[in-house]
Structure formats: structure tokens, C-alpha cells
């Protein structure tokens, strides 16, 4: 069996994008937050369950507030 693509032609496995601004994207999913933190999906859910990743609950749905995540990572200066 021959491969149709060489490794030089394939795109990188995971493209890292910058953490969004809270005004542009107020919340994100737990797996999205995990991606920014370099965590696997399951690890991100475990961290959220332990309170290590901040979450908001809407019924059964949990989301991560972008502003809290940015603050936790020290990306935004605290309001004085």
C-alpha cells in the first residue's frame, strides 16, 4: 500500500490559534479551553469538574468564560 501524501505535504496536526478576546467570544467549550491549555479532551473535562478550569452552567451545558480563562492565564491586566 502506498501513501498518497508525503509528510512534507500534510498540514500540522493541530494548529494553535490565539486565545480569543472576551468581547469577540464570551464563552468557549471545555474542549476548546483545553486546547488552549495544551490538555486532552478528557483531561480538560476532569480539570473543569475539579474547578481548575472556570465554568458556567446553563442547564446541563457547561461553558468556559473566556475572560476568566484569560485572567487565570495572566493575559489580561486586572482592572484597577
Amino acid at each position: 500500500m502506498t501513501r498518497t501524501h508525503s509528510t512534507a505535504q500534510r498540514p500540522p496536526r493541530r494548529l494553535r490559534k490565539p486565545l480569543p478576546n472576551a468581547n469577540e467570544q464570551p464563552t468557549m467549550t471545555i474542549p476548546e479551553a483545553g486546547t488552549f491549555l495544551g490538555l486532552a479532551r478528557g483531561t480538560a473535562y476532569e480539570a473543569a469538574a475539579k474547578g481548575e478550569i472556570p465554568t458556567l452552567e446553563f442547564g446541563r451545558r457547561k461553558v468556559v468564560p473566556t475572560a476568566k480563562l484569560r485572567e487565570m492565564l495572566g493575559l489580561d491586566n486586572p482592572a484597577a
Side-chain angles (χ1 to χ4, degrees), residues 33-62:
T35 299
F36 291 114
L37 297 169
L39 301 175
R41 178 185 166 104
T43 306
Y45 277 106
E46 288 175 14
K50 292 178 186 176
E52 296 171 345
I53 295 176
T55 59
L56 297 172
E57 291 188 44
F58 298 98
R60 292 178 43 191
R61 183 171 166 86
K62 286 187 178 184

